[in-house]
Amino acid sequence: MSQALAEPAESPARIRPAAPVPVDRLVSRIEAVRLIGKNAVAAWGERAYQLPYIYDRNWMQDFLLVNDPDGVKHVLLDNVGNYVKSRQVQRTTGPALGNGLFNADGDSWKFQRRTTAPMFSARRVLDFAEAMAAVAERELSTWHDGMTVDAADRMMRLTYKIITHTMFSDDVQLDYRAVADNFVTYLDTLGRVDMLMMLGVPHWAPTPKRLKAGRAMRFFRREIGALIARRAKEVEQGTAPKDLLTLLLTTRDPEGGALFTLDEVYSNVMTFIFAGHETTANTLAWTLYLLSQFPDVDAKVAAEVRAADGDIARMPYTRQVIEESLRLYPAAPFISRDSVGPDRVGPHDIRGGTSVLISPWLIQRHRKLWREPDYFDPDRFAPANRENIHRFAYIPFGAGPRICIGMGFAMQEALICLSRIVARWRLRMVPGHVVAPLSRLTLRPAFGLQMTAHAREG
Ligand code: HEM
C-alpha cells in the first residue's frame, strides 16, 4: 500500500473532534447489517481503518472495500470502463434523481456530462459569486448577538437558497421548509437503506415509510414540474432569465446538438438541488463546529477573512480549514460501484457484479495513510505539506471522469459563506449539545448543531 503520510507542521491540539469509536468486537453479519442501517459511518471496526482491502464473497453480492489509493485510482480512473454506478444506489436514489447526471451510466452519462460541463466551468462559477454573496448577506442580516440557532439547519437553508437562486433566479416559488421536510423524509426513509443495499441486501423498506417517501416524490414532481413547464414557455418567448434552469433547457450537446428532454431536465434539476445543497450545507456546518472547538484556528480564519475583504483568492488558510473539514467529515462518505466484468484490484481477483465500495470517510481517516487521522489540523493542506498527500487518498469530491461536477461551485460557495459568517460572528456550541456524525447518503450532524452566535469585536 502506498504511503501518503501528511506531515503536520506542528502538533495538532489534542481535542478529538466528534467521531464514532470503531467497533472493537467481531460482529455477526446480521449485526453488521443492523449497524450499517442505523448509521453507516459508525458500523466499521478498526480493521476497516487499518487494511488496504476488505474482500468478502459471502455477502449476497461479492463485496470489496478499497482503501488503497492505488486501488482507488484503478477503479475510478485507470479501468473506469469496467465499473458502473452501484445498481442498488441507483434504485435508492432513482425515484428522486431519475436518470440524471448522478445516476446515469454509459452513453447517457457521457451526453449529460459533456452538455452540463460548460454550466460548471470556472468562468460560469465565477459569475455566480455575486449572487452567492448576496444570498449569504440576506440570510445573515437576520442574526443578532446572543441568538441560539441550529447551525446545521441554517446552513441547509442558506445553501438551498443559493442553489435555487442560481438555478431558478427569483422565480423561486418553492418554500424552503416544504422542500427541506420532503428531502429529509426521503433520505430518512429510502436513503437510510443505501448502505445495506450496496451490500446486496434486497431492496425493501417498511411500507409506511415508503408511502411517506412516495408523497415526498409527488411533491417534487408537481412543484418542480410546474416550474420547468413555465420556464420552457419563457424560453420560447425569449423572456427567460440566464440561470442554470435556462441553461439546462437551451444548452445543446456539443456533439450532435441534441437538447435535453423535459424528463432529463427534471432529473438534473433534482440532481443539482439534491447534490448541490445538502453537501455544501453539511460541509459548512462541520466547519463551524470545528472552529467552535479550536479557538486559535477560528481567530486565524477571522483575521484572514477580514483582511481579504471579500476576495476569496486571498483566503488560503480558510480554504485549508475547509479542506481539512472535508477530510474529517466528507459530505459524501461513500462512493460505490458495481464491476461489469472480472478485474484484478490490488491483490484481489474479483468477479463481474461485485459491489465495490470506496469510502472518503474511511480512507481519509486511514491509520496507515494519515498521521493522527482523527485529529483536526488544517496545516496538512499548507502548500509545503500537501504534496505528501496521495491524490487518491483525499477524495471528498471523488476522482476520475465522474469527479463532482460541482466541486468549483461548492468550494467557492463554502468560502463565500464561511468568510461572511466568521467575519462577523463567533459561534459556540450550546453546552451539553451532543455532536455525532450520521450517514444518510450525506454526512450530517445527527442532532443538528445548537450554537450561540456572538458578535465579533472590532
Ligand atoms: C462540499 C460539497 C460537495 C461534495 C463533498 C460533493 C461530493 C461529490 C462526490 C464524492 C461525487 C462523486 C460520486 C461518485 O463518484 O459516485 C459527486 C458527484 C456529483 N456532484 Fe457533488 N459534491 C458537492 C457539491 C456539489 C454541488 C454544489 C453540485 C451541483 C451544483 C454537485 C453535483 C454533483 C453531480 C451532478 C455529481 C455527479 C457527477 C457525475 O457522475 O458525472 N455536487 N459529488
Side-chain angles (χ1 to χ4, degrees), residues 47-76:
R47 246 162 51 95
Y49 295 87
Q50 302 261 7
L51 297 176
Y53 293 94
I54 295 180
Y55 185 40
D56 192 337
R57 288 179 75 152
N58 294 316
W59 285 94
M60 294 176 205
Q61 187 180 5
D62 292 357
F63 171 76
L64 179 69
L65 170 71
V66 182
N67 264 339
D68 176 0
D70 292 328
V72 172
K73 179 168 178 280
H74 179 82
V75 173
L76 294 184

Side-chain angles (χ1 to χ4, degrees), residues 400-418:
R402 295 204 78 141
I403 194 168
C404 176
I405 200 168
M407 179 169 68
F409 185 105
M411 284 307 286
Q412 172 178 296
E413 179 183 13
L415 272 166
I416 288 175
C417 295
L418 186 70

Side-chain angles (χ1 to χ4, degrees), residues 332-350:
F334 300 101
I335 295 173
S336 52
R337 297 287 187 270
D338 287 349
S339 62
V340 178
D343 194 11
R344 187 172 179 84
V345 188
H348 298 291
D349 287 313
I350 63 167

